[in-house]
Amino acid sequence: MQYTSAGLTDRGRKRSANEDAFAISAENGIYVVCDGMGGAAAGEVASSLAVEEVLKHFNARTAEMTPSQAAEQAVREANDSIYTHAQRNSKLNGMGTTLVAMVTEENHAWILNVGDSRCYRLRAGNLEQITVDHSLVDEQVRSGRMKPDEAKRSPLRNVITRALGTQSSVTPDIFPLDTEPGDLFLLCSDGLTRELADDLLASMLANDIPIGQLCERLVGAANNAGGQDNITCIVIRAQG
Ligand code: CA
């Protein structure tokens, strides 16, 4: 299986800085999106440190590690780095970041997630959200204590229940998948998914255009819808 990919990040229309970061290492089969948080420039530090550290540790893995083990360890190492950095620098105290990553090997993929960035898969026209948000409102929706409509309007919708770098250790969710020719994967920050409903995402992703253009269209649509937050996406296409 071959994979082609493209990514794009944009400040959006309302924020003065971009606290999202992404990285693609196609030759190593790893793709990462992070959405940072924290005062001053701390969010930018956390997200850029996270993508760098995850790539560095993943790419330095030893042959006996599976891609999934290597990715999980890389996420833990990135958590250590951000956490230690924040402890040593009072201006960066409390910084953290979400992380959604995809690693591929032949026709296998693993999605790792911490926080409320997301991974979706479009297969045969059907869009499926692979990840589960680690957010307060999403947990309440899943347990039946809140309706999805209420969650969208809730003042607590920004509260995430798992992040990279805010605690001394972190456990990412890991979703193992098989990939098929034609599958399209989207990794993105919430600045995209809060502006574009899933059915719109599905119809945009179904367009048979180069994936670089697809990223531009997605970011453009999120900006046209308001661009309230930083917007980041990576699109990965599996080709037989
Ligand atoms: Ca965000």
Side-chain angles (χ1 to χ4, degrees):
M1 192 79 75
Q2 299 286 317
Y3 297 91
T4 55
S5 58
L8 191 61
T9 188
D10 189 88
R11 186 164 54 83
R13 297 227 164 126
K14 300 288 157 72
R15 299 285 172 93
S16 58
N18 190 350
E19 299 190 323
D20 287 359
F22 78 93
I24 294 174
S25 176
E27 63 280 22
N28 291 295
I30 183 164
Y31 312 83
V32 189
V33 167
C34 289
D35 175 352
M37 68 209 80
E44 285 171 78
V45 174
S47 60
S48 56
L49 199 55
V51 297
E52 275 168 35
E53 290 283 312
V54 168
L55 252 67
K56 183 178 89 184
H57 291 288
F58 183 79
N59 294 346
R61 74 186 187 274
T62 51
E64 64 266 22
M65 291 180 95
T66 66
S68 165
Q69 288 168 336
E72 186 176 2
Q73 182 163 319
V75 169
R76 292 182 191 280
E77 305 261 16
N79 185 78
D80 283 354
S81 286
I82 302 164
Y83 185 71
T84 309
H85 219 74
Q87 296 291 307
R88 288 185 186 152
N89 185 335
S90 61
K91 287 195 186 117
L92 301 176
N93 245 273
M95 72 172 170
T97 181
T98 72
L99 173 140
V100 63
M102 176 167 168
V103 297
T104 58
E105 187 181 67
E106 294 163 5
N107 65 332
H108 303 292
W110 294 266
I111 309 299
L112 288 87
N113 185 53
V114 177
D116 66 353
S117 294
R118 289 181 181 170
C119 174
Y120 290 84
R121 177 179 62 193
L122 185 81
R123 174 176 284 179
N126 294 315
L127 188 71
E128 182 189 356
Q129 185 180 329
I130 304 294
T131 50
V132 176
D133 293 351
H134 300 137
S135 73
L136 199 63
V137 294
D138 212 63
E139 286 177 2
Q140 293 193 329
V141 168
R142 287 201 301 279
S143 67
R145 281 174 290 158
M146 192 183 269
K147 297 198 173 74
D149 279 358
E150 290 174 77
K152 285 194 183 111
R153 295 190 305 267
S154 168
L156 299 175
R157 66 187 187 280
N158 290 322
V159 179
I160 62 170
T161 50
R162 234 189 279 182
L164 215 62
T166 53
Q167 307 280 326
S168 59
S169 71
V170 72
T171 305
D173 286 346
I174 303 179
F175 304 89
L177 304 168
D178 287 331
T179 61
E180 294 179 2
D183 281 354
L184 203 68
F185 292 86
L186 169 68
L187 308 180
C188 60
S189 63
D190 66 342
L192 187 80
T193 48
R194 290 217 187 148
E195 302 291 5
L196 307 178
D198 284 6
D199 54 351
L200 179 57
L201 273 184
S203 67
M204 292 184 74
L205 289 170
N207 275 306
D208 191 16
I209 57 172
I211 47 182
Q213 275 181 39
L214 203 46
C215 289
E216 284 169 20
R217 285 194 192 178
L218 290 168
V219 168
N223 270 324
N224 288 338
Q228 300 288 334
D229 195 0
N230 308 141
I231 307 154
T232 302
C233 60
I234 295 178
V235 176
I236 301 136
R237 182 176 274 149
Q239 291 169 319

